Amino acid sequence: MTEVSCRSMHDVVAFAITREEKARDFYRDCADSAKNKGIKEFFREMAEEEARHRQLLADLDLSAEKPFSDLDEHGNVKDLHLSDFMIDVRFSPDIGYQEALAMAMKKEEKAHAFYKAWKGRCASEKSEKLFSFLAEEELRHKRRLEEIYDSEILQEG
């Protein structure tokens, strides 16, 4: 499923679940293939975060009047834009910590942009709220990774 069907909220949520599963599987594959124990753990944590998102979406009660009332409103997350100045990094089993962080930041940046772009494409308030939430979540992940990168990579020098 590469395109969102806006026919129903079930379609929108199913699409979002599929995206979260693909992200989870990607990070799991990285964890399984990485040679460094710390890098394996980093990718496992990333996979767990995606799995939590998938479960959050799967647990939504779409028959409820306000199915998204349980979704946390985080407010506006400030983007540090560190990944704006990075190139895409491809995974290799020997990947280093700096490269793993950069790769994850770029992945979260792209997920944020994707959900943000879809926010206004489905003509329903519910789908807009869902895409806004998902975009904000991806930005929160990116921000967390940028903070780690800033404190553990940039501040080291």
Side-chain angles (χ1 to χ4, degrees), residues 9-11 13-14 57 59-65 67-68 126:
M9 280 309 298
H10 289 284
D11 289 346
V13 171
L57 291 165
D59 290 344
L60 287 174
D61 180 4
L62 295 177
S63 65
E65 185 177 323
F68 308 120
K126 288 180 181 179

Side-chain angles (χ1 to χ4, degrees), residues 108-124:
E108 298 299 321
E109 173 185 64
K110 289 174 184 174
H112 170 258
F114 176 85
Y115 286 131
K116 188 175 175 184
W118 272 97
K119 179 180 166 184
R121 290 190 183 172
C122 293
S124 92

Side-chain angles (χ1 to χ4, degrees), residues 1-24:
M1 191 186 294
T2 59
E3 181 98 359
V4 178
S5 167
C6 296
R7 286 187 308 249
S8 73
M9 280 309 298
H10 289 284
D11 289 346
V12 172
V13 171
F15 176 78
I17 286 172
T18 299
R19 291 216 22 120
E20 296 299 325
E21 289 171 343
K22 286 180 180 179
R24 177 203 60 204

Side-chain angles (χ1 to χ4, degrees), residues 80-146:
L80 296 179
H81 295 284
L82 291 180
S83 64
D84 294 359
F85 306 101
M86 296 178 180
I87 59 169
D88 285 331
V89 176
R90 294 183 64 94
F91 176 80
S92 76
D94 294 318
I95 195 168
Y97 187 50
Q98 181 174 353
E99 293 79 17
L101 281 168
M103 184 180 75
M105 275 189 278
K106 291 301 273 186
K107 190 161 181 58
E108 298 299 321
E109 173 185 64
K110 289 174 184 174
H112 170 258
F114 176 85
Y115 286 131
K116 188 175 175 184
W118 272 97
K119 179 180 166 184
R121 290 190 183 172
C122 293
S124 92
E125 186 178 322
K126 288 180 181 179
S127 64
E128 185 172 317
K129 180 165 177 137
L130 178 63
F131 285 126
S132 290
F133 169 77
L134 292 169
E136 194 77 11
E137 280 295 296
E138 301 301 346
L139 188 58
R140 264 186 353 102
H141 292 168
K142 180 178 171 280
R143 169 64 188 247
R144 192 189 82 207
L145 292 166
E146 287 178 327

